Every structure is written in structure tokens, then in C-alpha cells.
């Protein structure tokens, strides 16, 4: 069986790209396709050939890939995938539009519906100039929504990363999706049952991650908080923080493993569609304090692997922190929860059963 792996664009390294990296490792003989490829900014493809679209020839397209939005659908439609028996796409937006032979199968790992089209205000509020161009952008986006709906019918099977995303696919695209929680390489994390006296937040410094309310909570409590990551909100957040809060900036993989294993808890205040950080924390034997909505409802057990708070407010985080302090955590149980439910073997066992079922259908 000849397999093609297709991803929206390989110009960054986020959760979607890490999942695509797993697919590439699992299917080493498959051909890889994407719209734009910047090897310095994304997952390590080694010696593997990455086939791109006509967008790759546009100067600056890989750097300003978001500005290419109206061109992605025609770019993916232009890919010639007629030789492939199975197409596995990894998409938050455009890769699901690829064309296949009538007798071929297309399975889409859908990390989300196209957010900038279906949740435009939330997605674009990061960009201050958005409001000036909103009327024009809305006209373009309305046309693109119609195209997105059309091409969303192409895949034979949708696999969603969480029950929240599966529901969204059903609601917007009217396509059934099977939720399989995405895995982590549990061997990449250090387990420790000895915790230091710090809490950890690990996130890009952008507004929806809600690091601001984590900082406010710890300003009030005076407890030690370490924050790893960088981003456009960094200076504003530093200005809010008191001396008990330390900004680490970008950290190496080795540093990150150590930080996760020794933290008293890892704090997550964002509403995530899935969210790998809570699972990574659990794989380190570390409980999570997280906003109780979205993907964490699939991955966390309140009182066993973490504490879920109900509102995105400093006060709600403080209450969760105080509740967590009264729990005697079983760190080995937390680690086992991650290994038994979110490891690569568990993930691919489910995925390959679905692939076999889908490919056997006439």
C-alpha cells in the first residue's frame, strides 16, 4: 500500500507538528507533502524528502505563511496524489482538501476546525491591526468558509485529538469524528517522586494562554513560580510579576524535562482544544492545576492526576493551589496514568485498527 503523509505547513514546531512527526516515524516509507517547508523552524525530517506546493516558490512565503491563507486551498488541490492508496493528512485548516483517487482512502487527523475562519475574533485578537481591516477580512473569510465546508467533505475518516474537537467537527463540518487522544513519547520524560518548592508554567507568551492570571495568583500567594517560554507578551507579563516569579525564557529539552519532574505542580490556565503540557507533566509524575474545560477533561482526573478550577480568574487558581496543597499525591500513579493512556503504543494501536477498518471498506 502506497501512503502519502500531508501536513498544512512545516514552518513551526507546535503540537500539530509533533503529532505529524510521530506519523512520519511510524511510516518511514511514506512520501511527505506540505504547502511550505522551513527546515530550520520545524520538526527534524532528517534526510527525508519533503514535497511542497507552488507556494514554496513565493519569496518570503515560509516566513509570512499566515498571509498566504487564501492560496492554501488551491495549492493543496494542485498536489498530484493519484498514485497513493492511503492519504493521511494532519490538519488544522487546509491539508484536508487534497484530492485522491476514487478507490483510495483519506484519513484526516484533524487538530481543529479552521479556527481563523470559524472563531475569527478569538483567533485574530492577538493581532492589533485586525480591527482596522475587519470588514474586508470578513468578506474574504466568508468566501473561504464556503470552500472550507466543501473540502471538509473529502476525508473518509476524521480522527480528532479530543472529544471537544470531535464535537466541533460534527457541528461545523457535519462529519463524524472519532476522538483518540494524541500521545507523547513517555520515554522522553523524567519521573521523580521528590518535588522541589516551585510551581511551573510552560507556555508560549500569548494572551490566550492566560499567564496573566497565573501571575496575579502567585503575586498574591507569594509562592515560587517559574515560567518557561517566550513570546510577544513577555515584557508585559514581566512588568506584572513580583520577585517570587522567575522568567526562564526558552529552555532546552533537557532543562524542560528536569523542570517538569521536580515541580510541585504544573499550572495551565488556557482553554486548550487538547493540550500536551498536562499529559507531559503527568508523565513526569507531576500533578496539574488546570482550567477545567476543553481537552483536560479527556486527560485529567480531578484529585488523582491534578486539580481542575472552574473559572479563568486569579482567585479560582488560588483556590485550586490551596486545594492541591491538601492532597497527598501518589506520583507513581500519576505517571502510570500517562503511560497507560497516552503513550505511543496505546495511540497507534487504536489508530491502526481504524486504518485497517477504513481501508477494508469498499
Amino acid at each position: 500500500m502506497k501512503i502519502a503523509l500531508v501536513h498544512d505547513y512545516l514552518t513551526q514546531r507546535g503540537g500539530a507538528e509533533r503529532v505529524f512527526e510521530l506519523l512520519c516515524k511510524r511510516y518511514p516509507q511514506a512520501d511527505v507533502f506540505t504547502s511550505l517547508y522551513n527546515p530550520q523552524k520545524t520538526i527534524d525530517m532528517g534526510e527525508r524528502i519533503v514535497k511542497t506546493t507552488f507556494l514554496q516558490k513565493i519569496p518570503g512565503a515560509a516566513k509570512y505563511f499566515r498571509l498566504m491563507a487564501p492560496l492554501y486551498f488551491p495549492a493543496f488541490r494542485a498536489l498530484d496524489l493519484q498514485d497513493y492508496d492511503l492519504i493521511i493528512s494532519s490538519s488544522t485548516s487546509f491539508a484536508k482538501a487534497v484530492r485522491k483517487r476514487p478507490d483510495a482512502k483519506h484519513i484526516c487527523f484533524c487538530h481543529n476546525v479552521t479556527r481563523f475562519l470559524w472563531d475569527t475574533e478569538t483567533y485574530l485578537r492577538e493581532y492589533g491591526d485586525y480591527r482596522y481591516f475587519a470588514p474586508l477580512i470578513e468578506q474574504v473569510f466568508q468566501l473561504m468558509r464556503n470552500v472550507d465546508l466543501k473540502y471538509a467533505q473529502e476525508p473518509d475518516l476524521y480522527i480528532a485529538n479530543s472529544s471537544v474537537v470531535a464535537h466541533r467537527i460534527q457541528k461545523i463540518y457535519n462529519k463524524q469524528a472519532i476522538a483518540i487522544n494524541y500521545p507523547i513519547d513517555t520515554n522522553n520524560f523524567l519521573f521523580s517522586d521528590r518535588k522541589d518548592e516551585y510551581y511551573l508554567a510552560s507556555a508560549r507568551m500569548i494572551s490566550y494562554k492566560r499567564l496573566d492570571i497565573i501571575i496575579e495568583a502567585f503575586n498574591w500567594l507569594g509562592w515560587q513560580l517559574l515560567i518557561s517560554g517566550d513570546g510577544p507578551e513577555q515584557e508585559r507579563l514581566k512588568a506584572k510579576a513580583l520577585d517570587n516569579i522567575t522568567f526562564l525564557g526558552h529552555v532546552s529539552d533537557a532543562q524542560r524535562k528536569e523542570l517538569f519532574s521536580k515541580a510541585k505542580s504544573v499550572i495551565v490556565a488556557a482553554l486548550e482544544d487538547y493540550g500536551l503540557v498536562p499529559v507531559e507533566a503527568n508523565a513526569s509524575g507531576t500533578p496539574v492545576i488546570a482550567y477545567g474545560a476543553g481537552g483536560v477533561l479527556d486527560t485529567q482526573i480531578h484529585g488523582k492526576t491534578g486539580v481542575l478550577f472552574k473559572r479563568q480568574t486569579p482567585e479560582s487558581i488560588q483556590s485550586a493551589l490551596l486545594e492541591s496543597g491538601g492532597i497527598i499525591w501518589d506520583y507513581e500513579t500519576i505517571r502510570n496514568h500517562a503511560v497507560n493512556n497516552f503513550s505511543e503504543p496505546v495511540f497507534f494501536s487504536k489508530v491502526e485498527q481504524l486504518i485497517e477498518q477504513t481501508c477494508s471498506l469498499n
Side-chain angles (χ1 to χ4, degrees):
M1 182 167 60
K2 195 170 182 182
I3 301 174
L5 300 176
V6 188
H7 189 66
D8 290 328
Y9 31 68
L10 292 173
T11 56
Q12 57 187 358
R13 183 179 177 86
E17 286 72 33
R18 280 183 276 175
V19 173
F20 189 66
E21 187 174 31
L22 291 177
L23 292 170
C24 290
K25 289 178 180 178
R26 190 70 174 187
Y27 303 104
Q29 304 305 315
D31 292 331
V32 177
F33 295 83
T34 192
S35 60
L36 291 163
Y37 179 45
N38 185 342
Q40 285 74 43
K41 296 289 187 179
T42 191
I43 55 178
D44 183 8
M45 298 300 294
E47 300 298 317
R48 204 155 181 172
I49 295 173
V50 178
K51 301 178 183 180
T52 57
T53 68
F54 64 78
L55 296 177
Q56 189 75 18
K57 298 179 181 178
I58 299 176
K63 182 177 181 181
Y64 301 105
F65 61 96
R66 289 183 178 88
L67 298 179
M68 302 291 109
L71 301 178
Y72 285 112
F73 282 129
F76 278 107
R77 296 300 285 178
L79 286 175
D80 183 5
L81 301 181
Q82 295 303 299
D83 290 341
Y84 297 93
D85 306 299
L86 173 63
I87 298 167
I88 301 176
S89 64
S90 164
S91 182
T92 57
S93 45
F94 308 107
K96 61 181 177 287
V98 293
R99 289 191 280 192
K100 64 179 180 64
R101 294 195 322 261
D103 63 323
K105 297 296 182 183
H106 178 182
I107 295 173
C108 178
F109 286 79
C110 188
H111 314 292
N112 206 342
V113 299
T114 310
R115 276 187 64 206
F116 73 89
L117 293 179
W118 302 104
D119 191 14
T120 302
E121 185 173 348
T122 300
Y123 186 83
L124 292 181
R125 68 186 175 193
E126 303 287 341
Y127 307 96
D129 293 336
Y130 160 65
R131 62 184 183 278
Y132 299 116
F133 303 99
L136 175 61
I137 290 174
E138 180 55 33
Q139 291 182 41
V140 175
F141 281 9
Q142 186 53 53
L143 293 173
M144 291 184 67
R145 286 185 195 108
N146 295 333
V147 177
D148 191 44
L149 278 174
K150 176 182 176 182
Y151 293 147
Q153 308 310 308
E154 295 282 341
D156 297 288
L157 174 68
Y158 276 98
I159 296 176
N161 56 6
S162 69
S163 54
V164 171
V165 172
H167 176 74
R168 205 171 290 155
I169 293 167
Q170 174 70 54
K171 180 179 178 181
I172 293 176
Y173 294 153
N174 197 29
K175 295 281 285 186
Q176 184 179 5
I178 295 174
I180 301 179
N181 299 134
Y182 291 171
I184 59 169
D185 185 347
T186 52
N187 295 320
N188 277 345
F189 294 89
L190 300 174
F191 170 75
S192 176
D193 57 5
R194 294 177 179 269
K195 304 301 181 183
D196 290 342
E197 289 302 314
Y198 68 84
Y199 294 83
L200 176 69
S202 177
R204 285 176 296 152
M205 294 190 184
I206 53 179
S207 64
Y208 96 87
K209 295 293 186 179
R210 299 311 311 269
L211 291 168
D212 57 334
I213 61 172
I214 298 176
I215 289 169
E216 288 183 43
F218 277 84
N219 280 346
W220 183 81
L221 290 168
W223 298 353
Q224 185 182 9
L225 172 68
L226 305 183
I227 303 177
S228 68
D230 50 27
E233 294 276 293
Q234 184 169 344
E235 292 307 315
R236 185 181 73 85
L237 293 169
K238 282 184 175 181
K240 291 174 65 74
L242 298 181
D243 292 343
N244 57 303
I245 299 173
T246 303
F247 290 80
L248 303 174
H250 175 75
V251 298
S252 68
D253 287 346
Q255 289 173 305
R256 191 170 184 269
K257 291 176 189 178
E258 186 74 16
L259 287 167
F260 269 65
S261 68
K262 294 296 181 66
K264 287 179 70 68
S265 290
V266 171
I267 319 297
V268 179
L271 171 57
E272 299 282 9
D273 301 313
Y274 178 49
L276 289 172
V277 167
V279 181
E280 292 171 339
N282 288 166
S284 309
T286 300
V288 174
I289 295 174
Y291 176 48
V296 296
L297 297 179
D298 285 5
T299 65
Q300 298 301 307
I301 303 172
H302 185 88
K304 183 177 179 181
T305 66
V307 173
L308 304 181
F309 54 90
K310 295 181 179 180
R311 294 178 298 279
Q312 288 175 303
T313 65
E315 295 78 12
S316 194
I317 294 174
Q318 291 163 15
S319 295
L321 285 162
L322 294 170
E323 180 181 348
S324 175
I327 297 174
I328 300 174
W329 296 104
D330 185 333
Y331 301 122
E332 189 170 349
T333 295
I334 293 172
R335 161 77 175 176
N336 290 340
H337 171 75
V339 171
N340 294 337
N341 292 283
F342 308 109
S343 65
E344 290 181 34
V346 171
F347 173 73
F348 280 111
S349 173
K350 296 175 182 178
V351 165
E352 289 175 353
Q353 184 178 7
L354 282 176
I355 289 176
E356 183 177 349
Q357 291 172 353
T358 303
C359 290
S360 67
L361 297 175
N362 294 325

